[in-house]
Amino acid sequence: EQVGIAVETFLRLCRRARWSDAETPKFHWLLHFENHISKWGNAPTCWVHERKHKTVKRFGEDILNTACYSKSVLAEVISQQLHDVQQLDAFALSPGLVGAHKASKEVAELVHTHVNGEYQNLKVSTKARLNVFSKVHKRDVVIIDAGEDKFNVGQIWLLLSIQDVDMALINCWELRHHNAAHATSTWNMVDKPLLIELCAIFAPVILKVVEPGIAMIMLPYEFKGKVPFSQPRGIVLVS
């Protein structure tokens, strides 16, 4: 009963906050939690196949023999899984790029244009690991360390490794207003690209675009004591 009340309260508050348009179809699974607990005595995960969706689609679309379709897809998925776990970084837990690969010619030229110097070992990725529990992806909006309990906010444009140093090209935003009591702040989504080391990224954040060019972010609980600041720490300006 407590789970049902909590879910209904959460969904009602989402609508009150005008987040209905951001509710994905998966939101309906919340309505099943109360019945799961009542029936099984605990809350079994509903997401066991989420991490396999792309893999299943990748192999399933090319299989035309429907007589053994399920077996064929399963065999392909298991083979891919065995290949993945044999990679050197399959169980890596330290901060760094995930699945990094050689940068394309276009990306390399972009980096060389904005950053002084030529780099032979330039790699890029669409996601990076911040710590054991947290990852960020390209286009995520993140909190950036500005030193002395201060932070900045921006959107990741590119995750890259330059001379084996993991970095991120981030479009840093300008602060409009900070509400410490509600742990929210409003930012101008300006174009201010900065190159920073990956270790300067604290965490991804939840945001809402309140009007064109203006976004409101929700500060994670562990960062509520920090103060927004205009300039991140440890950055290399991009011209």
Side-chain angles (χ1 to χ4, degrees), residues 83-119:
H83 168 77
D84 292 341
V85 299
Q86 292 176 29
Q87 304 309 302
L88 294 177
D89 61 346
F91 300 101
L93 300 177
S94 58
L97 303 187
V98 177
H101 56 86
K102 184 178 179 180
S104 66
K105 181 179 179 180
E106 291 76 13
V107 171
E109 290 178 350
L110 173 66
V111 173
H112 294 160
T113 298
H114 294 297
V115 183
N116 294 329
E118 292 291 328
Y119 305 102

Short mmCIF file of all heavy atoms in Angstrom, two decimals, residues 83-119:
data_model
loop_
_atom_site.label_atom_id
_atom_site.label_comp_id
_atom_site.label_asym_id
_atom_site.label_seq_id
_atom_site.Cartn_x
_atom_site.Cartn_y
_atom_site.Cartn_z
N HIS A 83 31.86 -12.42 -26.26
CA HIS A 83 32.89 -11.58 -26.86
C HIS A 83 33.14 -10.33 -26.02
O HIS A 83 34.30 -9.95 -25.78
CB HIS A 83 32.47 -11.18 -28.28
CG HIS A 83 33.32 -10.09 -28.87
ND1 HIS A 83 34.59 -10.32 -29.37
CD2 HIS A 83 33.10 -8.75 -29.01
CE1 HIS A 83 35.11 -9.19 -29.81
NE2 HIS A 83 34.23 -8.22 -29.61
N ASP A 84 32.07 -9.71 -25.54
CA ASP A 84 32.19 -8.47 -24.78
C ASP A 84 32.95 -8.67 -23.47
O ASP A 84 33.78 -7.84 -23.10
CB ASP A 84 30.81 -7.88 -24.49
CG ASP A 84 30.12 -7.38 -25.76
OD1 ASP A 84 30.82 -7.16 -26.76
OD2 ASP A 84 28.88 -7.22 -25.73
N VAL A 85 32.67 -9.76 -22.76
CA VAL A 85 33.30 -9.97 -21.45
C VAL A 85 34.77 -10.34 -21.58
O VAL A 85 35.51 -10.32 -20.59
CB VAL A 85 32.56 -11.03 -20.62
CG1 VAL A 85 31.12 -10.60 -20.36
CG2 VAL A 85 32.60 -12.39 -21.29
N GLN A 86 35.21 -10.69 -22.78
CA GLN A 86 36.62 -11.02 -22.98
C GLN A 86 37.48 -9.81 -23.30
O GLN A 86 38.71 -9.93 -23.39
CB GLN A 86 36.75 -12.06 -24.11
CG GLN A 86 36.18 -13.43 -23.75
CD GLN A 86 36.25 -14.42 -24.91
OE1 GLN A 86 37.13 -14.33 -25.77
NE2 GLN A 86 35.31 -15.34 -24.95
N GLN A 87 36.84 -8.64 -23.46
CA GLN A 87 37.60 -7.43 -23.75
C GLN A 87 38.35 -6.97 -22.49
O GLN A 87 37.91 -7.20 -21.37
CB GLN A 87 36.67 -6.32 -24.24
CG GLN A 87 35.85 -6.71 -25.47
CD GLN A 87 36.71 -7.27 -26.59
OE1 GLN A 87 37.64 -6.62 -27.07
NE2 GLN A 87 36.40 -8.49 -27.00
N LEU A 88 39.50 -6.34 -22.70
CA LEU A 88 40.37 -5.98 -21.59
C LEU A 88 39.70 -5.04 -20.59
O LEU A 88 39.97 -5.08 -19.39
CB LEU A 88 41.66 -5.33 -22.13
CG LEU A 88 42.57 -6.25 -22.96
CD1 LEU A 88 43.76 -5.46 -23.48
CD2 LEU A 88 43.04 -7.44 -22.11
N ASP A 89 38.82 -4.15 -21.08
CA ASP A 89 38.19 -3.18 -20.19
C ASP A 89 36.77 -3.56 -19.81
O ASP A 89 35.99 -2.72 -19.35
CB ASP A 89 38.19 -1.80 -20.85
CG ASP A 89 37.40 -1.78 -22.15
OD1 ASP A 89 37.08 -2.86 -22.67
OD2 ASP A 89 37.10 -0.67 -22.64
N ALA A 90 36.41 -4.83 -19.99
CA ALA A 90 35.03 -5.26 -19.74
C ALA A 90 34.59 -5.02 -18.30
O ALA A 90 33.43 -4.70 -18.04
CB ALA A 90 34.88 -6.74 -20.10
N PHE A 91 35.50 -5.17 -17.36
CA PHE A 91 35.14 -5.02 -15.94
C PHE A 91 35.91 -3.87 -15.29
O PHE A 91 36.12 -3.87 -14.09
CB PHE A 91 35.41 -6.34 -15.20
CG PHE A 91 34.62 -7.49 -15.75
CD1 PHE A 91 35.21 -8.41 -16.60
CD2 PHE A 91 33.28 -7.65 -15.43
CE1 PHE A 91 34.48 -9.47 -17.12
CE2 PHE A 91 32.54 -8.71 -15.94
CZ PHE A 91 33.14 -9.62 -16.79
N ALA A 92 36.30 -2.91 -16.08
CA ALA A 92 37.03 -1.75 -15.55
C ALA A 92 36.09 -0.91 -14.67
O ALA A 92 34.93 -0.71 -15.00
CB ALA A 92 37.58 -0.90 -16.69
N LEU A 93 36.62 -0.41 -13.55
CA LEU A 93 35.83 0.39 -12.61
C LEU A 93 36.39 1.80 -12.43
O LEU A 93 35.73 2.65 -11.85
CB LEU A 93 35.78 -0.31 -11.24
CG LEU A 93 35.15 -1.71 -11.21
CD1 LEU A 93 35.24 -2.29 -9.81
CD2 LEU A 93 33.71 -1.67 -11.68
N SER A 94 37.57 2.05 -12.93
CA SER A 94 38.19 3.35 -12.75
C SER A 94 37.59 4.37 -13.71
O SER A 94 37.06 4.01 -14.77
CB SER A 94 39.71 3.26 -12.97
OG SER A 94 39.98 2.75 -14.27
N PRO A 95 37.67 5.67 -13.39
CA PRO A 95 37.15 6.71 -14.29
C PRO A 95 37.84 6.67 -15.64
O PRO A 95 39.04 6.41 -15.73
CB PRO A 95 37.49 8.01 -13.55
CG PRO A 95 37.61 7.61 -12.11
CD PRO A 95 38.19 6.23 -12.13
N GLY A 96 37.09 6.92 -16.70
CA GLY A 96 37.67 6.94 -18.04
C GLY A 96 36.63 6.73 -19.11
O GLY A 96 35.46 6.45 -18.84
N LEU A 97 37.03 6.87 -20.36
CA LEU A 97 36.14 6.66 -21.48
C LEU A 97 35.75 5.20 -21.58
O LEU A 97 36.55 4.31 -21.26
CB LEU A 97 36.80 7.10 -22.80
CG LEU A 97 37.29 8.55 -22.88
CD1 LEU A 97 37.75 8.85 -24.30
CD2 LEU A 97 36.21 9.52 -22.46
N VAL A 98 34.55 4.94 -22.03
CA VAL A 98 34.06 3.57 -22.22
C VAL A 98 33.95 3.30 -23.72
O VAL A 98 33.27 4.04 -24.44
CB VAL A 98 32.69 3.37 -21.55
CG1 VAL A 98 32.16 1.97 -21.81
CG2 VAL A 98 32.80 3.62 -20.05
N GLY A 99 34.60 2.25 -24.19
CA GLY A 99 34.55 1.92 -25.61
C GLY A 99 35.20 2.96 -26.49
O GLY A 99 34.69 3.24 -27.59
N ALA A 100 36.30 3.54 -26.04
CA ALA A 100 36.98 4.58 -26.82
C ALA A 100 37.53 4.01 -28.13
O ALA A 100 37.95 2.86 -28.19
CB ALA A 100 38.11 5.19 -26.00
N HIS A 101 37.49 4.82 -29.17
CA HIS A 101 38.00 4.40 -30.48
C HIS A 101 38.68 5.59 -31.16
O HIS A 101 38.52 6.74 -30.72
CB HIS A 101 36.88 3.86 -31.36
CG HIS A 101 35.75 4.82 -31.55
ND1 HIS A 101 35.73 5.79 -32.53
CD2 HIS A 101 34.58 4.98 -30.84
CE1 HIS A 101 34.62 6.48 -32.44
NE2 HIS A 101 33.90 6.03 -31.43
N LYS A 102 39.41 5.32 -32.21
CA LYS A 102 40.14 6.36 -32.91
C LYS A 102 39.18 7.41 -33.47
O LYS A 102 38.14 7.08 -34.02
CB LYS A 102 40.96 5.76 -34.05
CG LYS A 102 41.84 6.77 -34.78
CD LYS A 102 42.66 6.10 -35.86
CE LYS A 102 43.53 7.11 -36.61
NZ LYS A 102 44.34 6.45 -37.68
N ALA A 103 39.54 8.66 -33.29
CA ALA A 103 38.68 9.75 -33.75
C ALA A 103 38.64 9.80 -35.27
O ALA A 103 39.63 9.50 -35.94
CB ALA A 103 39.19 11.08 -33.20
N SER A 104 37.48 10.18 -35.80
CA SER A 104 37.36 10.35 -37.24
C SER A 104 38.17 11.55 -37.69
O SER A 104 38.59 12.39 -36.88
CB SER A 104 35.89 10.55 -37.62
OG SER A 104 35.40 11.78 -37.10
N LYS A 105 38.38 11.66 -38.98
CA LYS A 105 39.15 12.76 -39.53
C LYS A 105 38.49 14.09 -39.20
O LYS A 105 39.17 15.07 -38.85
CB LYS A 105 39.27 12.61 -41.05
CG LYS A 105 40.08 13.71 -41.72
CD LYS A 105 40.18 13.48 -43.22
CE LYS A 105 40.97 14.61 -43.90
NZ LYS A 105 41.06 14.38 -45.37
N GLU A 106 37.15 14.14 -39.27
CA GLU A 106 36.43 15.39 -39.01
C GLU A 106 36.60 15.82 -37.54
O GLU A 106 36.83 17.00 -37.25
CB GLU A 106 34.94 15.21 -39.33
CG GLU A 106 34.62 15.05 -40.80
CD GLU A 106 34.96 13.67 -41.33
OE1 GLU A 106 35.22 12.76 -40.50
OE2 GLU A 106 34.95 13.48 -42.56
N VAL A 107 36.47 14.86 -36.62
CA VAL A 107 36.61 15.17 -35.21
C VAL A 107 38.05 15.59 -34.89
O VAL A 107 38.29 16.54 -34.15
CB VAL A 107 36.21 13.96 -34.34
CG1 VAL A 107 36.57 14.22 -32.86
CG2 VAL A 107 34.72 13.69 -34.47
N ALA A 108 39.01 14.89 -35.47
CA ALA A 108 40.42 15.23 -35.25
C ALA A 108 40.72 16.65 -35.71
O ALA A 108 41.41 17.41 -35.03
CB ALA A 108 41.32 14.23 -35.98
N GLU A 109 40.18 17.02 -36.87
CA GLU A 109 40.39 18.37 -37.38
C GLU A 109 39.74 19.41 -36.47
O GLU A 109 40.29 20.50 -36.26
CB GLU A 109 39.83 18.48 -38.80
CG GLU A 109 40.64 17.70 -39.83
CD GLU A 109 40.03 17.77 -41.22
OE1 GLU A 109 38.88 18.27 -41.32
OE2 GLU A 109 40.68 17.32 -42.19
N LEU A 110 38.55 19.07 -35.93
CA LEU A 110 37.86 19.97 -35.02
C LEU A 110 38.70 20.22 -33.77
O LEU A 110 38.88 21.36 -33.33
CB LEU A 110 36.50 19.40 -34.62
CG LEU A 110 35.72 20.16 -33.54
CD1 LEU A 110 35.32 21.53 -34.05
CD2 LEU A 110 34.50 19.36 -33.11
N VAL A 111 39.23 19.14 -33.19
CA VAL A 111 40.05 19.26 -31.98
C VAL A 111 41.32 20.05 -32.27
O VAL A 111 41.71 20.94 -31.52
CB VAL A 111 40.39 17.87 -31.42
CG1 VAL A 111 41.37 17.99 -30.25
CG2 VAL A 111 39.12 17.16 -30.95
N HIS A 112 41.99 19.74 -33.39
CA HIS A 112 43.22 20.42 -33.73
C HIS A 112 42.99 21.91 -34.01
O HIS A 112 43.86 22.74 -33.79
CB HIS A 112 43.86 19.77 -34.96
CG HIS A 112 44.34 18.37 -34.69
ND1 HIS A 112 44.58 17.46 -35.68
CD2 HIS A 112 44.62 17.74 -33.53
CE1 HIS A 112 44.98 16.31 -35.14
NE2 HIS A 112 45.00 16.47 -33.85
N THR A 113 41.78 22.24 -34.47
CA THR A 113 41.45 23.64 -34.74
C THR A 113 41.35 24.45 -33.46
O THR A 113 41.78 25.60 -33.39
CB THR A 113 40.12 23.74 -35.52
OG1 THR A 113 40.27 23.07 -36.78
CG2 THR A 113 39.75 25.20 -35.76
N HIS A 114 40.76 23.83 -32.44
CA HIS A 114 40.48 24.55 -31.20
C HIS A 114 41.54 24.39 -30.12
O HIS A 114 41.60 25.17 -29.18
CB HIS A 114 39.13 24.11 -30.63
CG HIS A 114 37.97 24.50 -31.50
ND1 HIS A 114 37.66 25.81 -31.75
CD2 HIS A 114 37.05 23.77 -32.16
CE1 HIS A 114 36.59 25.87 -32.55
NE2 HIS A 114 36.22 24.64 -32.80
N VAL A 115 42.35 23.34 -30.21
CA VAL A 115 43.36 23.08 -29.19
C VAL A 115 44.73 23.11 -29.83
O VAL A 115 44.98 22.42 -30.82
CB VAL A 115 43.13 21.70 -28.52
CG1 VAL A 115 44.15 21.50 -27.40
CG2 VAL A 115 41.72 21.60 -27.98
N ASN A 116 45.62 23.90 -29.28
CA ASN A 116 46.95 24.03 -29.86
C ASN A 116 47.71 22.70 -29.82
O ASN A 116 47.69 22.00 -28.81
CB ASN A 116 47.77 25.08 -29.09
CG ASN A 116 47.19 26.47 -29.27
OD1 ASN A 116 46.61 26.77 -30.32
ND2 ASN A 116 47.32 27.31 -28.26
N GLY A 117 48.36 22.36 -30.91
CA GLY A 117 49.17 21.14 -30.95
C GLY A 117 48.57 20.05 -31.81
O GLY A 117 47.38 20.05 -32.12
N GLU A 118 49.42 19.11 -32.22
CA GLU A 118 49.00 17.95 -32.98
C GLU A 118 49.03 16.73 -32.06
O GLU A 118 49.97 16.54 -31.29
CB GLU A 118 49.95 17.73 -34.18
CG GLU A 118 49.85 18.82 -35.23
CD GLU A 118 48.52 18.77 -35.97
OE1 GLU A 118 47.99 17.65 -36.13
OE2 GLU A 118 48.02 19.81 -36.39
N TYR A 119 47.99 15.91 -32.13
CA TYR A 119 47.90 14.77 -31.24
C TYR A 119 47.75 13.49 -32.05
O TYR A 119 46.82 13.34 -32.84
CB TYR A 119 46.72 14.94 -30.28
CG TYR A 119 46.80 16.24 -29.51
CD1 TYR A 119 46.02 17.33 -29.87
CD2 TYR A 119 47.68 16.37 -28.45
CE1 TYR A 119 46.10 18.52 -29.17
CE2 TYR A 119 47.77 17.57 -27.74
CZ TYR A 119 46.98 18.63 -28.11
OH TYR A 119 47.07 19.81 -27.43
#
